[in-house]
Amino acid sequence: SDVTSLKIEGRMKSPIYVGFVTKLYRNLIDKYYLNKPLDIASEEQDLLKTLYNRKFTTGYLFKQKGKALMNIESPNHIGLEIGEVISFNNKYIKIKLNKTLHQEDGIKFLPSDKGMIVNKLYNEKLLLVNKLDKGSIAVVDNKIGLDSISKVMLTTNNTLIKELTNIDMKKIGINIKVEAKLNNRLAIAITCNDITVKVEGRLIVPSINREVTKENIKNQVSKLGNTNYKILSLDIDSDNNIFIPLKELNELRRKAIEEITKKRIAIKDRVIKDFKLSPFNKKFLSKISILVRNKEQLLTAIKLEVDYIYVTNYELYQEYKHLSNIYYRIPRVSKNYPIINNENILVTDLGSFYKYKDNNNVVTDYYLNIVNDYAVNYLAINGASRVTISPDLKNITNFNNNIPLEVIIYGRLELMITKYCPLNMLLNNDSDKCNLCLNKDKYYLKDKLGNMYPIISSPHITHIMHSKNIDLISDIAKYLKNGFSCFRIELYEEKEKEIIDIINRVRGSL
């Protein structure tokens, strides 16, 4: 296999979940190199489901399609099925268990999605217990008002969480050298890999009543407590009949540990330190660009003599590319990049930038997430003719430039792109040929606040658009002051009259 790295997604997951999953992967990788079967014990799978589970799928691995690709039944943790409610009343819920249940576990009832912590666990005789095994009848307080026969899901495994929480922290090995020579300053040096720090204290004086021995020094310097370090070696070079206050040994040890930690976590500025910026603050004429999605919008933009026109449809671009201000926007996801030479191109990713920059007039789109001068300069010296700044950038003050900078000041932005089709998932269809992306109906995702997010579908690609347009036309003067010269309008479904009004507003602000 050519796979050399595996990524574990820990976004919005607990540290305990991430730790447990990482351990599972580590064990499987070790088994692979030991030529052992690559399996996960059913017990481990059950434990994983109690930490976080929305039902597992293989995603795009192994060429899955349709509903096998993604689970849409629950947006949150559903846990591990451990039994079924067999009866209930206003006071108690009686559960037939097919897995173990402990006191202080968290459980959820499906389909009602009501949940609770099992503060009190009773056996069938209503005697308090702290654990009941598979096959037992468990009784819990009905403090959630359950009123239906339900599946019982274990969503918090209290025993597992305690076990994982009590794992000892991995310690970092350090080497310590102590110098305690008469009439010299007390010194402690710590080395961690290729980093060394040395701290010094007061002059060491002869002992009068109580000598400080090497054993005394070792005991004090070794007290690392709850730090992240463990001692690999401790070298003490000391004279006899010396006196050192034990308080000073402790303080110097703490100072040395603080210094080695600071050096280890210091940010290493490896990229920008030697990066030479080209001359900035060139002046460029103000321009307007517009992205169009159909022929009507394109013809309106041509009639209004917009400076730059971006076209998303390749056939439409081919029809009108004889006009020098027409650009083709490369799709963000493509199995094969077409051969394009001597054309105007709006690129949406670094791959297409590198492919087309040498033989075309290339402008970079906002998907490249450009937010600083260094990224602008990099694109400029590598062949970009204009750079679009990320719409996420909030602070544009003192944004220098040596190339025209473009900013989106009106339009509906794309929030997400995915090969997963939410429309197909709603059908009784196990293939990826639902044809919904070919019809003329409009579809939306609706959030809990009632906001509607339009879905644009093309074959096997889904684009989720923002629920609202951005409108920064009133901020154009501020952008001009800070070096921006090109102002983009991103059209969605706007008709001719609305397009004219938007362009006139922009021109009135320039």
Side-chain angles (χ1 to χ4, degrees):
S1 172
D2 291 331
V3 175
T4 58
S5 177
L6 300 174
K7 180 182 179 183
I8 301 170
E9 276 286 357
R11 186 167 57 114
M12 298 177 68
K13 303 296 192 299
S14 69
I16 290 174
Y17 175 90
V18 174
F20 188 79
V21 172
T22 303
K23 182 180 178 182
L24 286 182
Y25 271 82
R26 178 72 268 167
N27 291 340
L28 288 171
I29 293 170
D30 291 344
K31 286 180 180 180
Y32 172 82
Y33 285 106
L34 294 172
N35 293 315
K36 293 183 177 181
L38 299 183
D39 56 351
I40 300 177
S42 59
E43 293 83 2
E44 288 183 318
Q45 293 187 45
D46 285 352
L47 293 175
L48 182 58
K49 288 178 180 178
T50 66
L51 291 174
Y52 197 86
N53 169 33
R54 291 187 304 194
K55 291 192 176 179
F56 300 125
T57 73
T58 59
Y60 285 98
L61 294 173
F62 313 115
K63 299 182 179 179
Q64 294 285 4
K65 296 180 179 180
K67 292 190 175 181
L69 180 65
M70 185 176 292
N71 166 54
I72 64 169
E73 294 178 17
S74 174
N76 52 28
H77 178 38
I78 60 173
L80 169 71
E81 184 175 347
I82 61 165
E84 186 175 7
V85 173
I86 56 177
S87 66
F88 59 87
N89 55 37
N90 291 335
K91 190 171 184 180
Y92 295 118
I93 302 169
K94 189 176 288 188
I95 303 166
K96 175 71 174 180
L97 294 175
N98 56 40
K99 304 277 185 185
T100 301
L101 178 63
H102 291 84
Q103 184 184 12
E104 299 302 330
D105 282 347
I107 57 176
K108 177 189 286 189
F109 300 90
L110 296 181
S112 68
D113 211 37
K114 294 179 178 180
M116 60 184 285
I117 299 296
V118 181
N119 301 119
K120 293 181 180 179
L121 177 62
Y122 309 91
N123 63 16
E124 197 170 6
K125 297 180 180 180
L126 291 183
L127 298 176
L128 285 170
V129 293
N130 56 27
K131 173 187 173 184
L132 288 169
D133 293 321
K134 174 182 177 180
S136 303
I137 301 297
V139 180
V140 297
D141 294 322
N142 190 2
K143 53 187 177 182
I144 56 171
L146 186 72
D147 57 4
S148 62
I149 299 297
S150 309
K151 285 183 181 179
V152 183
M153 313 297 291
L154 181 65
T155 54
T156 304
N157 186 328
N158 190 52
T159 304
L160 175 63
I161 290 174
K162 283 183 178 179
E163 178 184 324
L164 295 175
T165 303
N166 291 329
I167 292 176
D168 290 335
M169 181 187 298
K170 185 177 180 179
K171 301 286 186 176
I172 300 160
I174 56 175
N175 301 292
I176 302 179
K177 183 174 182 179
V178 180
E179 296 176 0
K181 308 293 285 184
L182 191 63
N183 298 322
N184 290 331
R185 292 185 180 278
L186 172 65
I188 297 179
I190 297 180
T191 300
C192 180
N193 296 324
D194 59 345
I195 301 174
T196 298
V197 300
K198 185 176 182 180
V199 296
E200 294 185 340
R202 69 180 68 179
L203 289 173
I204 296 174
V205 297
S207 64
I208 298 175
N209 297 318
R210 186 166 68 89
E211 175 187 359
V212 172
T213 65
K214 283 189 176 182
E215 190 65 27
N216 297 142
I217 295 172
K218 177 182 177 181
N219 289 338
Q220 298 307 121
V221 173
S222 299
K223 293 179 178 179
L224 300 183
N226 60 354
T227 69
N228 296 331
Y229 301 102
K230 63 181 178 181
I231 297 175
L232 300 179
S233 67
L234 175 55
D235 180 19
I236 301 173
D237 183 12
S238 66
D239 288 336
N240 295 324
N241 300 314
I242 59 173
F243 174 74
I244 306 169
L246 297 184
K247 179 181 179 182
E248 182 174 0
L249 274 170
N250 291 334
E251 289 177 351
L252 212 58
R253 180 201 68 235
R254 282 193 290 267
K255 185 177 179 181
I257 290 294
E258 288 175 2
E259 291 300 317
I260 195 71
T261 301
K262 286 179 183 177
K263 280 205 170 186
R264 287 186 58 250
I265 66 175
I267 297 173
K268 297 178 179 63
D269 190 359
R270 298 188 180 119
V271 178
I272 296 177
K273 180 173 61 177
D274 299 320
F275 199 90
K276 305 300 182 185
L277 293 173
S278 299
F280 282 137
N281 289 323
K282 294 183 180 179
K283 298 296 183 182
F284 301 98
L285 294 176
S286 299
K287 303 287 185 179
I288 298 175
S289 64
I290 190 167
L291 180 129
V292 300
R293 299 183 186 274
N294 55 52
K295 191 169 184 176
E296 178 190 352
Q297 292 176 345
L298 173 60
L299 293 176
T300 302
I302 292 172
K303 182 174 69 173
L304 294 172
E305 298 181 344
V306 175
D307 298 295
Y308 307 119
I309 302 173
Y310 305 134
V311 180
T312 59
N313 181 281
Y314 187 66
E315 288 72 25
L316 196 58
Y317 169 74
Q318 289 292 327
E319 184 179 350
Y320 286 91
K321 71 175 186 178
H322 62 279
L323 300 175
S324 61
N325 65 333
I326 307 294
Y327 289 69
Y328 173 53
R329 179 156 85 168
I330 300 294
R332 290 179 66 194
V333 177
S334 179
K335 289 184 178 179
N336 300 296
Y337 288 116
I339 297 173
I340 301 175
N341 292 303
N342 303 313
E343 307 278 12
N344 293 326
I345 303 295
L346 178 65
V347 297
T348 54
D349 67 284
L350 279 176
S352 56
F353 174 69
Y354 290 128
K355 181 172 179 64
Y356 296 122
K357 67 184 179 66
D358 294 329
N359 300 312
N360 298 277
N361 175 32
V362 172
V363 176
T364 63
D365 209 347
Y366 70 91
Y367 302 111
L368 274 70
N369 296 319
I370 303 303
V371 295
N372 58 55
D373 297 334
Y374 297 97
V376 170
N377 190 74
Y378 176 83
L379 294 172
I381 64 178
N382 280 279
S385 62
R386 190 165 60 254
V387 172
T388 308
I389 301 302
S390 169
D392 293 328
L393 184 67
K394 303 302 181 187
N395 183 13
I396 62 167
T397 304
N398 298 321
F399 205 110
N400 296 321
N401 67 294
N402 63 341
I403 186 175
L405 296 182
E406 184 164 329
V407 62
I408 298 170
I409 43 82
Y410 182 90
R412 189 184 294 266
L413 299 179
E414 183 174 278
L415 297 179
M416 180 186 298
I417 185 170
T418 174
K419 288 183 178 179
Y420 150 75
C421 178
L423 306 178
N424 190 18
M425 295 294 286
L426 299 176
L427 302 176
N428 293 319
N429 182 16
D430 290 325
S431 76
D432 57 355
K433 297 179 180 179
C434 64
N435 295 323
L436 282 171
C437 54
L438 302 179
N439 65 30
K440 302 298 182 183
D441 294 333
K442 295 179 183 178
Y443 296 92
Y444 300 83
L445 293 179
K446 183 178 181 180
D447 68 16
K448 61 184 179 182
L449 299 177
N451 297 312
M452 305 289 280
Y453 298 82
I455 298 173
I456 299 178
S457 293
S458 55
H460 310 299
I461 300 294
T462 301
H463 307 261
I464 311 297
M465 308 301 291
H466 202 291
S467 62
K468 299 178 178 64
N469 284 330
I470 63 167
D471 188 338
L472 303 174
I473 297 175
S474 61
D475 291 333
I476 286 179
K478 180 175 67 175
Y479 283 105
L480 285 168
K481 182 180 178 181
N482 286 281
F484 291 80
S485 59
C486 190
F487 302 91
R488 189 194 304 182
I489 300 162
E490 288 246 340
L491 297 180
Y492 177 54
E493 293 181 326
E494 289 84 354
K495 300 297 183 183
E496 181 177 7
K497 184 180 183 306
E498 191 174 0
I499 296 170
I500 293 172
D501 290 342
I502 295 167
I503 292 174
N504 285 339
R505 284 182 59 206
V506 175
R507 284 178 170 157
S509 299
L510 292 176

